[in-house]
Amino acid sequence: MKSVSIKDIFKNKILINSIVKVQGWIKNKRNSKSNLLFIDVYDGSCVNTLQIIVNKNLLVNKNHEIIKSTPGCSVYVEGRLVSSLNTKQKFEIHMYKINVIGWVKKPDLYPMSSKRHSMEHLRNFAHLRPRTNIIGCISRIRSSVFYSIHDFFHKNNYHWVASPIITSLNTEGAGDMFSVKYSKKKENKKLTYKNFFGKEVFLTVSGQLSIEAYACALSKVYTFGPIFRAENSNTTRHLSEFWMLEVELAFSNLNNIIEVIQKMLKYIINFILQNNKNDLRFFEKTFHDNIINKLKNFLETNIKRINYKDAIKILKENKIIEKDSIYLDIELNLDHEKFLVDKYFKQPIIIQNYPKSFKPFYMRINSDKKTVAAFDILFPKIGEIIGGSQREERILYLDKRIQELKLNINDYTWYRELRFYGTVPHSGFGLGLERLIMYITGIKNIKDVIPFPRTPKNANF
Ligand code: 4AD
Ligand code: MG
C-alpha cells in the first residue's frame, strides 16, 4: 500500500477513494456523540493536519489502543481517502486500521500540549518545539529559502565554493572571535592549540576573503555556511552562530552587485510565495499581520538607494543628530537606522558610500578618498540584513588601508597576491539568512528562526 504525505493529499496528488497509509503524530483528538473519534494527524510535510475518522463500532477490541492515545503519540493509519463534507477541511481518512507507534509517557507533563505556548516557553524546549505549527512553518520556509538561493545562483551560472570554517584571519577586523583549541586526549602530547596549525586559529566570521580568490578565477561564486561571532550582544537580532550567504562577482562594481541582490531577493520571495503560501497564511492568522501583501509589494518595487551623506542630512533635518556635525564623523547607530527605515522611509533601503573609517580594510576607496564603495541594506523592524561593497582591487590602495588600520601585512600575503596576478574589479555581499527569514515570516526574535540558537550563556541542546 502507498505511504503518502499529507502535503500530497492536499495538493490533490492522491486519488479520492484510494486506500492510503499515513504516518504522523496526533495533534488533537475529539469524541463525537455518534461513537466517532476524530483524530487530527500531522506529518510535517505541510501545516495542514489530516482528519482521521475512527468509527468506534468497527474496532474489534473496545479497549483498542487508539482510545487511550493522546496528542503527541505517533500513529500509523490505513484507510480510505474521501472528500470531506466539513467546510473546514477538504479531505479526511476513513480508518481501516490504526496503531499507536510511540506513546506519550506522561500526557499531563507533555510540554507541547495542543494549547498555544509563548515563543519564550518554546525556547526552553528547542528539541520539541518543531512539533508546533509555528516552528514547523518557520522550518519549512527556512528550508525553501536555502533551496531558492542555491536555485537562483545555479540558474545564473554561479559556482558554489566551500570556504573554510577554521581560519586565522578576522575578515571584518572588528569584533571578537571564538578561538579553536586542540583538546588533548592524553597528557604528555606536546601539541597545543597554537602549534597544531602552527598559528592561532578561530571559527570564521566570514568566508569572503576565500571566495574572492575563487571569484578571480571562476568569475561568479558564492559560499553559504555557518558563521561564528563572539559579540556579547544578547539582542533579538544577534546570534553567536548564524548562517550567511556570501556572493562575489568578478568584473563588477557596486551598481552591478546591487542589481544582483535585487533580483535574488525577488526570486527568493517569489519562491516562498509560490511554495509556502499555507505557511505564510498561518503567520498571518497568528500575528494578524498582512505578510503576504508585504511580500507581494516587495516584488513590485526596487529597494530605495541613498548616499550615507544624505542619510545623515535627513537625520539632521529631523533633529535626530546635531545640525552642525560633520557626516564623516558620525557613525550610524541602531536608533538612527530605525528612524530612517521604520519612521522616515517605511520600506527597505540601501545606504551606500560610507565613510571609510567605519568599514573594513577590503572596501574600495571612492575618488573622494574619504568614503568607500560600500552599502548596507536595512529592513523595517530588523535593521541590516545585507552588507557588501566593491573590493579594493588596486594593490597600492589596499596596502595603504592595511597600514592605516595597523593590520599585519604578512597575514594578508595571499590576499594581496590576488591583486598582483591579473587583478580585476570585483564586488560582493553577505546576507544574514536568519534576518531575512525574520522579514519573510514576521518573527520578532532571531532565536526562533534557527533550530538550536547559540547566544551568550546559551548553547543548550
Ligand atoms: O555586515 P557583515 O559583517 O558583512 C560581512 O561579514 C562581509 N564579509 C560580507 C561580504 O561582503 N561578503 O555581515 C553580513 C550580514 C549582516 O548584514 C547581517 O544580516 C548578518 O550578516 N549578521 C548577523 N546575523 C545574525 N547574528 C549576528 N551576530 C550577525 N552579524 C552579522
Ligand atoms: Mg555589516
Side-chain angles (χ1 to χ4, degrees):
M1 189 188 311
K2 221 173 151 191
S3 178
V4 297
S5 77
I6 296 177
K7 179 177 177 180
D8 282 347
I9 292 178
F10 280 85
K11 286 200 139 186
N12 297 312
K13 287 191 179 166
I14 312 295
L15 278 181
I16 294 292
N17 277 329
S18 52
I19 307 294
V20 294
K21 180 168 98 182
V22 172
Q23 297 164 106
W25 294 265
I26 298 179
K27 184 123 254 162
N28 281 310
K29 199 178 129 191
R30 302 178 303 285
N31 275 300
S32 83
K33 288 183 200 118
S34 52
N35 228 16
L36 294 179
L37 197 61
F38 297 103
I39 302 179
D40 296 332
V41 170
Y42 67 96
D43 68 359
S45 59
C46 61
V47 67
N48 298 339
T49 52
L50 183 64
Q51 181 163 274
I52 315 293
I53 302 189
V54 179
N55 185 340
K56 287 199 245 172
N57 297 326
L58 296 182
L59 294 174
V60 209
N61 177 353
K62 294 297 164 221
N63 294 322
H64 189 281
E65 56 191 28
I66 203 64
I67 306 289
K68 285 183 280 165
S69 67
T70 56
C73 286
S74 53
V75 288
Y76 169 98
V77 184
E78 283 175 25
R80 196 160 56 88
L81 179 68
V82 296
S83 300
S84 175
L85 298 175
N86 184 329
T87 48
K88 272 198 186 156
Q89 63 241 336
K90 270 164 74 186
F91 304 100
E92 56 198 28
I93 288 201
H94 292 183
M95 178 287 285
Y96 289 175
K97 182 176 169 193
I98 190 159
N99 289 116
V100 174
I101 302 170
W103 292 92
V104 167
K105 300 289 186 206
K106 292 179 179 159
D108 296 345
L109 299 181
Y110 183 47
M112 296 297 114
S113 62
S114 36
K115 75 169 197 217
R116 198 162 153 188
H117 302 283
S118 71
M119 298 307 272
E120 289 77 17
H121 172 81
L122 293 181
R123 257 171 246 147
N124 298 324
F125 299 93
H127 58 311
L128 299 175
R129 68 177 182 167
R131 300 168 186 217
T132 61
N133 281 335
I134 197 152
I135 302 292
C137 288
I138 295 169
S139 309
R140 281 182 292 272
I141 288 180
R142 195 181 156 100
S143 169
S144 291
V145 171
F146 268 91
Y147 176 82
S148 64
I149 288 175
H150 283 294
D151 197 35
F152 173 82
F153 285 109
H154 190 77
K155 282 191 175 128
N156 285 285
N157 298 324
Y158 283 73
H159 304 285
W160 175 75
V161 170
S163 49
I165 286 179
I166 296 176
T167 175
S168 60
L169 288 178
N170 184 344
T171 306
E172 297 307 296
D176 292 332
M177 302 171 84
F178 294 106
S179 83
V180 176
K181 296 202 176 177
Y182 163 69
S183 163
K184 280 182 277 186
K185 279 220 171 106
K186 284 190 195 137
E187 284 307 316
N188 305 327
K189 287 251 171 89
K190 291 262 158 61
L191 281 172
T192 67
Y193 75 95
K194 272 201 180 156
N195 63 18
F196 188 97
F197 290 106
K199 53 166 72 165
E200 198 173 2
V201 288
F202 309 89
L203 295 178
T204 189
V205 295
S206 163
Q208 178 195 320
L209 304 188
S210 311
I211 61 164
E212 279 190 53
Y214 273 72
C216 294
L218 302 185
S219 293
K220 297 165 109 180
V221 297
Y222 68 99
T223 183
F224 204 166
I227 292 294
F228 309 87
R229 294 191 181 179
E231 293 158 291
N232 195 6
S233 39
N234 218 332
T235 73
T236 54
R237 33 180 242 129
H238 286 93
L239 291 166
S240 309
E241 178 181 316
F242 62 98
W243 282 71
M244 203 203 289
L245 162 75
E246 294 187 87
V247 177
E248 215 52 47
L249 179 61
F251 307 100
S252 73
N253 62 23
L254 203 70
N255 292 339
N256 305 136
I257 199 72
I258 288 177
E259 203 178 307
V260 173
I261 294 176
Q262 305 255 26
K263 284 199 183 126
M264 173 198 72
L265 288 174
K266 286 184 182 180
Y267 189 88
I268 299 170
I269 287 178
N270 188 41
F271 188 93
I272 299 300
L273 281 167
Q274 300 301 320
N275 293 280
N276 295 80
K277 199 79 173 247
N278 287 338
D279 296 316
L280 293 173
R281 286 201 184 108
F282 176 81
F283 292 124
E284 289 209 332
K285 264 202 301 191
T286 311
F287 304 132
H288 311 289
D289 203 352
N290 213 340
I291 290 172
I292 295 179
N293 259 352
K294 172 187 84 178
L295 298 180
K296 281 187 178 160
N297 287 342
F298 186 89
L299 298 182
E300 302 297 312
T301 45
N302 270 347
I303 306 180
K304 193 169 174 53
R305 279 169 75 170
I306 55 164
N307 281 316
Y308 191 88
K309 198 175 179 177
D310 297 323
I312 298 293
K313 206 166 139 207
I314 293 170
L315 293 171
K316 283 182 187 171
E317 282 163 6
N318 288 276
K319 304 194 170 51
I320 307 290
I321 52 181
E322 296 228 359
K323 203 168 75 227
D324 44 3
S325 43
I326 301 162
Y327 86 95
L328 291 168
D329 296 338
I330 304 168
E331 184 165 15
L332 286 182
N333 66 28
L334 191 59
D335 288 335
H336 301 149
E337 291 182 352
K338 274 190 181 157
F339 176 83
L340 290 167
V341 197
D342 295 342
K343 296 220 171 90
Y344 192 84
F345 288 104
K346 297 192 175 80
Q347 56 164 296
I349 56 168
I350 299 174
I351 303 181
Q352 60 186 23
N353 298 321
Y354 279 69
K356 66 174 181 179
S357 51
F358 307 140
K359 290 292 183 188
F361 77 98
Y362 55 73
M363 296 186 169
R364 194 179 198 272
I365 294 283
N366 286 326
S367 50
D368 63 10
K369 303 276 187 286
K370 295 173 190 149
T371 59
V372 282
F375 62 91
D376 277 359
I377 307 190
L378 313 178
F379 275 63
K381 295 185 195 150
I382 299 163
E384 183 192 334
I385 289 190
I386 296 180
S389 76
Q390 186 166 345
R391 317 309 187 188
E392 186 54 83
E393 85 283 14
R394 302 161 298 184
I395 188 70
L396 293 177
Y397 286 95
L398 183 69
D399 284 355
K400 196 157 167 264
R401 281 299 281 154
I402 290 176
Q403 274 163 16
E404 272 173 19
L405 293 167
K406 300 200 170 47
L407 301 170
N408 182 353
I409 201 150
N410 296 325
D411 290 343
Y412 297 91
T413 306
W414 68 265
Y415 185 75
R416 294 172 60 246
E417 278 188 9
L418 302 174
R419 278 76 184 159
F420 273 121
Y421 305 126
T423 192
V424 58
H426 61 289
S427 309
F429 68 89
L431 170 144
L433 187 89
E434 284 75 21
R435 294 193 186 167
L436 176 64
I437 295 171
M438 287 170 77
Y439 173 70
I440 293 174
T441 57
I443 293 286
K444 297 196 170 54
N445 195 317
I446 199 164
K447 297 183 189 79
D448 300 324
V449 297
I450 187 161
F452 299 100
R454 268 84 183 94
T455 49
K457 302 215 164 38
N458 174 32
N460 296 330
F461 302 101

